[in-house]
Amino acid sequence: MKIVVGISRIFVGVLFIISGFVKLNDPLGFSYKLQEYFSAAVLNIPFLEPYALGIAIMVVIFEVVVGIFLLIGYRPKFTVWSLLLMIIFFTFLTFYAAYFDKVKDCGCFGDAMPMTPWQSFTKDVVLLVLILILFLGVKYIKPVFSKLGTTVVALLGFLASLSFAYYVIMHLPAIDFRAYKIGDNLQQNMELAPDAKRAIIDYEWTYTLNGEEKVLTDGGQGPAEYDEIIGVETKEIQAGDLPKIQDFSIETQDEDLTSYFLEKEKLLMIVAYDLNSAEKKGMAKLKSLSDEALKKGYTVIGMTTSDEATKQKFKAEYQFDFDFYLCDEKVLKTIVRSSPGVVILNKGTVMQKKHWNDIEDLKL
């Protein structure tokens, strides 16, 4: 039992630290996932949506810290009880999301390792078993340092997690796992790789031939002879790969200008998914930045989901000499974890990306 507890302790502790750190690297992204869970379409607790960021920060810090506590043997009973309650909640959440097909990506490992809810549920069941072993064998969890040393390491782990969370919120994720990271080409990420796995779909045709109703299942060709096609149903046998980027666009109300702008050698893109909720201090910095960029030959555009009246209002209020274009809100939140945020592209390749706090660091 002592050996089994020791193995479980290392596995669970390391997994909680990794899972927590990946989300701690991008707490804003995790808060967007929590908002999805809180929405009326999933758990129907929308009153929690405004507090999603605060909840996200507390959850991921606690996830990292409790993993550290387990590895160093700090307060074993408190740690094991915390792990057990967390995994019971997570297991319920992933089962609910999977069974009712409410959420496509659970967000357990952020953008670093997308997992379906069923995959996440399976992972949580394994963790639940291991944590139950720790619960039953808690007496075998001993501190690896002295009492003072264990307390100091535990406190340092908490302070380091809190500091890191503050840093990435005030700047940008330290590690960017998304398809809009520096060095990525958007056009390439919008296309399927040549060796991509294709979807396999069965078509079930119901038809009549010589007055007799028949059913044919094939890959989509349909019956060679028939009197009348009554109906056809499809069933996905194997899901196909998808492009890394699926919904990115740069549009007006009348025109799609995505290809046009992605061919520009010097494109400065200002992203604010909702102009009304964008940070005012950040918006105030954009006038001088955009004016300097225009002088140096950049094409400057804004990206938002706000309506035309709001766009014109902000353009006049801040005296912007550039226009705002439309894009999907989820995409804009994915491009840069800042509102406003700034991205510089060269023929679709991301060259620089900055939080509004770091606009001064942009090199034009």
Side-chain angles (χ1 to χ4, degrees):
M1 185 64 178
K2 185 176 181 180
I3 295 173
V4 174
V5 169
I7 295 172
S8 300
R9 174 183 178 178
I10 294 171
F11 186 86
V12 173
V14 170
L15 194 65
F16 263 74
I17 291 171
I18 293 174
S19 173
F21 174 77
V22 169
K23 295 192 286 288
L24 191 62
N25 173 68
D26 185 12
L28 199 56
F30 184 50
S31 75
Y32 296 151
K33 179 58 62 176
L34 288 183
Q35 287 177 342
E36 186 178 353
Y37 276 111
F38 295 155
S39 68
V42 185
L43 295 177
N44 195 25
I45 44 177
F47 65 91
L48 288 178
E49 290 183 33
Y51 311 105
L53 181 58
I55 295 172
I57 293 170
M58 288 189 294
V59 168
V60 295
I61 288 178
F62 190 68
E63 193 173 352
V64 173
V65 167
V66 80
I68 295 172
F69 284 4
L70 181 62
L71 290 181
I72 66 175
Y74 180 75
R75 295 186 178 272
K77 289 185 178 180
F78 167 79
T79 299
V80 171
W81 267 107
S82 299
L83 288 167
L84 184 60
L85 293 175
M86 285 180 71
I87 200 61
I88 289 173
F89 175 72
F90 288 154
T91 304
F92 160 76
L93 196 62
T94 52
F95 173 78
Y96 179 86
Y99 185 79
F100 293 102
D101 196 24
K102 296 289 188 177
V103 178
K104 299 301 180 184
D105 174 15
C106 70
C108 299
F109 290 95
D111 294 299
M113 187 189 299
M115 297 177 71
T116 66
W118 279 122
Q119 290 172 334
S120 184
F121 172 70
T122 303
K123 179 261 299 177
D124 287 343
V125 169
V126 173
L127 278 174
L128 178 59
V129 172
L130 294 175
I131 292 171
L132 285 173
I133 292 173
L134 295 174
F135 186 80
L136 296 173
V138 67
K139 64 182 180 180
Y140 296 110
I141 301 176
K142 303 297 183 182
V144 297
F145 306 112
S146 65
K147 186 175 181 180
L148 177 60
T150 304
T151 303
V152 169
V153 173
L155 181 60
L156 289 176
F158 170 72
L159 293 176
S161 299
L162 188 63
S163 300
F164 186 63
Y166 178 78
Y167 174 82
V168 295
I169 287 174
M170 297 306 291
H171 302 279
L172 288 178
I175 307 172
D176 193 345
F177 295 104
R178 288 157 288 148
Y180 301 89
K181 62 181 176 291
I182 294 174
D184 273 22
N185 181 274
L186 303 194
Q187 293 99 316
Q188 292 178 3
N189 286 348
M190 291 164 71
E191 298 175 355
L192 269 175
D195 59 347
K197 183 174 65 177
R198 304 293 173 175
I200 299 176
I201 298 175
D202 273 353
Y203 290 74
E204 187 176 274
W205 304 84
T206 305
Y207 64 101
T208 58
L209 179 61
N210 299 324
E212 182 182 352
E213 185 173 310
K214 295 179 178 291
V215 175
L216 170 70
T217 300
D218 65 10
Q221 296 83 4
E225 297 180 7
Y226 59 89
D227 298 329
E228 179 186 1
I229 300 291
I230 297 174
V232 59
E233 294 185 3
T234 59
K235 181 180 180 182
E236 188 176 68
I237 306 301
Q238 174 184 289
D241 292 335
L242 297 172
K244 293 180 181 179
I245 295 176
Q246 299 174 53
D247 300 317
F248 176 80
S249 62
I250 305 173
E251 301 178 351
T252 66
Q253 292 179 334
D254 306 311
E255 192 175 6
D256 187 334
L257 298 169
T258 309
S259 298
Y260 170 76
F261 282 116
L262 290 185
E263 287 301 319
K264 296 288 185 181
E265 290 188 357
K266 299 167 72 175
L267 177 68
L268 189 146
M269 195 163 64
I270 294 169
V271 178
Y273 68 89
D274 179 4
L275 290 172
N276 288 314
S277 66
E279 292 285 347
K280 292 183 179 180
K281 289 183 179 179
M283 296 298 291
K285 290 184 175 184
L286 297 178
K287 172 62 177 173
S288 58
L289 171 69
S290 59
D291 285 351
E292 183 184 357
L294 289 168
K295 289 178 182 177
K296 294 186 175 181
Y298 280 80
T299 299
V300 180
I301 61 172
M303 301 281 284
T304 187
T305 59
S306 298
D307 58 34
E308 191 62 31
T310 302
K311 289 189 287 187
Q312 294 304 321
K313 171 190 170 185
F314 274 76
K315 187 176 177 180
E317 180 179 346
Y318 291 98
Q319 298 181 334
F320 292 147
D321 291 323
F322 60 88
D323 294 321
F324 283 93
Y325 295 86
L326 296 171
C327 185
D328 178 76
E329 178 177 334
K330 187 175 181 179
V331 173
L332 295 179
K333 288 179 175 180
T334 304
I335 292 172
V336 58
R337 301 299 200 203
S338 172
S339 185
V342 180
V343 182
I344 292 180
L345 303 173
N346 181 357
K347 290 193 172 182
T349 297
V350 181
M351 307 303 293
Q352 297 181 70
K353 184 192 291 191
K354 295 294 182 183
H355 190 285
W356 64 264
N357 275 326
D358 303 314
I359 282 177
E360 293 82 2
D361 296 334
L362 280 169
K363 299 175 182 178
L364 297 177

